[in-house]
Amino acid sequence: MTEYPVGSVRTTARVVRALEDNREAGVTELADELNVSKASVHNHLTTLERLGVVVSDAGRYRLGLRFLDIGIGVRDGMELHRIARPEVDGLAQSTGEATALVVPEHNEAVYAAVETSSRNDRRIRLGSRAPLHATAAGKVVLAYRSREAVEEYVETVGLDPETDRTISNRSELHTELRSVTDRGLAFDRGELFDGMRSVAAPVRRGDDTDALAGALTVLGPAERLSGKRLEEDLPGMVLSAAKRVELELAD
Amino acid sequence: MTEYPVGSVRTTARVVRALEDNREAGVTELADELNVSKASVHNHLTTLERLGVVVSDAGRYRLGLRFLDIGIGVRDGMELHRIARPEVDGLAQSTGEATALVVPEHNEAVYAAVETSSRNDRRIRLGSRAPLHATAAGKVVLAYRSREAVEEYVETVGLDPETDRTISNRSELHTELRSVTDRGLAFDRGELFDGMRSVAAPVRRGDDTDALAGALTVLGPAERLSGKRLEEDLPGMVLSAAKRVELELAD
DNA sequence: GAGTGTGTTTCCTGTTACTGAACAGATTTT
DNA sequence: AAAATCTGTTCAGTAACAGGAAACACACTC
């Protein structure tokens, strides 16, 4: 058994990945980039096109919008999203900042819902992914894991520094996570993007285990997120919103 | 050469499709549903999980949010989207109705951007797809195609009736499309959903050929979309918004 | 009109993706 | 509590086929 039981699917994934980066590409171009024969690339592309996932136009190929269809479907299918969505919207309105529902997946923080108070403020992209140790929401996710699970994260993912404020050593991370569980809140002060701060509160599944379902978060520029607003006002709002989601999630 | 040059990818796609419908499933469940051996399903699932596209939890499998990531990336990468987005938002604000940017893909109308004036009004889903002959935006798409291309659409896709007002015969479609090109505008009066109406205007690529890039559309309940508002006011707004997009698209 | 791109097709072969069956847990039934 | 019956997972063998090389077709350029 190799790493990928169905090898050809892996090749397909590489083709998709390449199209994701290049936005549009030709057969030879992809063949060179991926070190695969032209014929093989061609086969994968026509397969993908038949499947309605890729669009071809005059010998150029690009990804179609079926991914969006599937992705939104997956997102809308999450009960956490259904319940948390109104709170995300409400938070955006009451705080005047960007807000999001963040969900852990494959050791990354995924923005499953994003809302902004002012339109055309698209700094955080829906569906984008960030490292767990460099965002408030991500730290919430880590904080509610066992110490071994956190160690495993450090081991496999590593603590790559995104800015010069990113937590990048093990002990610092552990003390930070301790403070997160203590307060039931996490902060990020320019640890992912310079001049960008965020607050996040956990949403736990009340039912069986107290496993973490996700996190609500508020994000904004350091100029606006500071002092009492950052330390007290926003935390209070995020926390109570998260609590409401937990309650409704429990039933 | 068979229908799908890389057959195993087709199986993978079927697995993904099944997960899309079932939201969550086990191995045997999928194996039965797809008439494939358990082992094979298992192989595909672990491959997909390794690729970060599927999430497994206690023997249950479900699609992850990577599709959303890719999909939004594709969408944001479209220059038409970049340019049309502000107009879609502006239309939502000025009309007070739901608005969208629609793009043709694989003979379907895809909602590439959706905006609503009031929050939590999520009737049309981002990324969802509708038949070309049953929506205002779709009729715009068809109208700017050659007659043979329209015939080909009727042949391959067919004119399935979605409601009792859906255009479902060839000649009716052709006269309708004629009126669309004449006025540069398309209407839909409950042809996709009962009680739902929409107006759409074309966005054409000015540059080389006058190929259609997409359409802007306004949607709402029949009670609000009727009379002079439906016939004159909204058309005027959609049309001028579409013109502005065309202009900026030309440079 | 030769030359260099492109995407597409063909053909062959070594790989591998599938199946059927055995295995290992967990849960339920008796 | 043990047996029966679900799971998901692993294993081994074979028939299918995915991938590579090269020829092809077509569009450009020079």
Side-chain angles (χ1 to χ4, degrees):
Chain A
M1 186 206 339
T2 84
E3 186 138 23
Y4 296 89
V6 187
S8 42
V9 173
R10 207 240 157 169
T11 308
T12 297
R14 297 213 303 144
V15 170
V16 170
R17 192 86 224 288
L19 284 177
E20 211 183 336
D21 296 339
N22 298 12
R23 179 178 313 187
E24 184 180 89
V27 175
T28 22
E29 194 177 338
L30 291 173
D32 292 348
E33 188 172 330
L34 303 174
N35 272 74
V36 185
S37 73
K38 275 200 299 179
S40 185
V41 170
H42 186 256
N43 282 338
H44 282 272
L45 285 174
T46 53
T47 302
L48 287 169
E49 196 200 0
R50 293 268 216 305
L51 291 170
V53 167
V54 151
V55 178
S56 77
D57 179 38
R60 308 289 295 173
Y61 291 85
R62 60 174 200 277
L63 297 183
L65 288 170
R66 187 118 248 166
F67 287 99
L68 186 62
D69 188 19
I70 300 175
I72 292 284
V74 170
R75 200 278 303 265
D76 288 358
M78 298 170 51
E79 64 162 345
L80 175 59
H81 171 261
R82 199 191 71 244
I83 294 172
R85 187 47 180 266
E87 296 294 343
V88 172
D89 293 356
L91 267 180
Q93 207 133 14
S94 55
T95 64
E97 302 291 344
T99 60
L101 167 67
V102 173
V103 168
E105 190 178 294
H106 283 287
N107 270 336
E108 287 180 305
V110 183
Y111 292 89
V114 172
E115 194 59 49
T116 53
S117 59
S118 66
R119 279 188 168 73
N120 65 4
D121 169 7
R122 318 210 177 278
R123 274 168 313 184
I124 23 174
R125 227 188 53 183
L126 176 62
S128 65
R129 305 165 93 89
L132 291 176
H133 65 281
T135 55
K139 284 193 261 184
V140 165
V141 171
L142 285 179
Y144 287 88
R145 287 189 183 172
S146 69
R147 196 191 168 90
E148 304 85 58
V150 174
E151 281 302 331
E152 194 259 342
Y153 172 82
V154 176
E155 216 62 44
T156 58
V157 181
L159 300 177
D160 291 342
E162 305 288 331
T163 73
D164 46 7
R165 313 190 71 139
T166 309
I167 295 175
S168 50
N169 78 69
R170 202 169 311 230
S171 64
E172 199 184 339
L173 179 65
H174 280 296
T175 59
E176 173 79 358
L177 295 184
R178 166 66 58 93
S179 104
V180 172
T181 39
D182 285 351
R183 305 188 53 183
L185 259 179
F187 293 89
D188 140 45
R189 297 183 170 83
E191 296 160 39
L192 181 60
F193 297 113
D194 283 312
M196 186 89 160
R197 290 182 179 170
S198 59
V199 196
V203 176
R204 310 175 74 171
R205 292 221 130 74
D207 223 12
D208 40 350
T209 58
D210 271 1
L212 190 98
L216 292 189
T217 183
V218 176
L219 312 93
E223 302 91 55
R224 288 206 301 264
L225 270 62
S226 63
K228 178 169 171 297
R229 186 156 187 264
L230 176 66
E231 305 287 345
E232 295 177 26
D233 303 347
L234 293 178
M237 301 170 83
V238 181
L239 212 53
S240 57
K243 284 292 171 217
R244 283 192 294 272
V245 175
E246 279 185 356
L247 277 177
E248 199 171 343
L249 201 59
D251 64 10
Chain B
M1 186 207 337
T2 84
E3 187 138 22
Y4 296 89
V6 186
S8 41
V9 172
R10 206 238 158 175
T11 308
T12 297
R14 297 213 304 142
V15 170
V16 170
R17 193 89 226 289
L19 284 177
E20 211 183 336
D21 296 340
N22 298 13
R23 180 179 313 185
E24 185 181 90
V27 175
T28 21
E29 194 178 339
L30 292 174
D32 291 349
E33 189 172 331
L34 302 175
N35 272 72
V36 185
S37 71
K38 277 201 297 178
S40 185
V41 170
H42 186 256
N43 282 337
H44 282 271
L45 285 173
T46 54
T47 302
L48 287 170
E49 197 199 1
R50 292 265 215 308
L51 290 170
V53 168
V54 151
V55 178
S56 78
D57 179 39
R60 308 289 297 173
Y61 291 84
R62 60 175 200 277
L63 297 183
L65 288 170
R66 186 118 249 166
F67 288 99
L68 186 61
D69 188 20
I70 300 176
I72 292 283
V74 170
R75 200 275 306 264
D76 287 358
M78 298 169 51
E79 65 162 346
L80 174 59
H81 171 260
R82 201 191 70 245
I83 294 173
R85 187 50 180 265
E87 296 295 342
V88 172
D89 294 356
L91 266 180
Q93 207 134 17
S94 55
T95 63
E97 303 291 344
T99 59
L101 167 67
V102 173
V103 169
E105 188 178 296
H106 283 287
N107 269 336
E108 287 181 306
V110 183
Y111 292 91
V114 171
E115 194 59 48
T116 53
S117 58
S118 66
R119 280 187 168 74
N120 64 3
D121 170 10
R122 319 210 176 278
R123 275 168 311 184
I124 22 172
R125 228 188 52 184
L126 176 62
S128 66
R129 306 165 92 90
L132 291 175
H133 65 281
T135 56
K139 285 192 263 184
V140 166
V141 170
L142 285 179
Y144 288 88
R145 286 187 183 173
S146 69
R147 196 192 169 88
E148 305 86 58
V150 174
E151 281 303 330
E152 195 258 344
Y153 172 83
V154 175
E155 216 61 43
T156 57
V157 181
L159 300 177
D160 292 342
E162 306 287 332
T163 73
D164 47 7
R165 314 191 69 138
T166 309
I167 295 175
S168 50
N169 77 69
R170 204 170 312 233
S171 66
E172 199 184 339
L173 179 65
H174 280 296
T175 58
E176 173 79 359
L177 295 184
R178 166 65 59 93
S179 104
V180 172
T181 39
D182 285 351
R183 305 188 52 183
L185 259 179
F187 293 89
D188 140 46
R189 296 183 170 81
E191 296 161 38
L192 181 59
F193 298 113
D194 282 313
M196 186 91 161
R197 290 183 178 170
S198 59
V199 197
V203 176
R204 310 176 74 172
R205 291 223 129 74
D207 223 12
D208 40 352
T209 58
D210 269 2
L212 189 96
L216 292 189
T217 183
V218 175
L219 312 92
E223 302 90 56
R224 287 206 301 264
L225 269 64
S226 64
K228 179 169 170 297
R229 185 155 188 263
L230 176 65
E231 305 287 346
E232 296 178 27
D233 303 347
L234 293 178
M237 299 170 85
V238 181
L239 211 53
S240 57
K243 283 292 171 215
R244 282 193 294 273
V245 175
E246 279 185 356
L247 278 178
E248 199 170 344
L249 202 58
D251 63 11

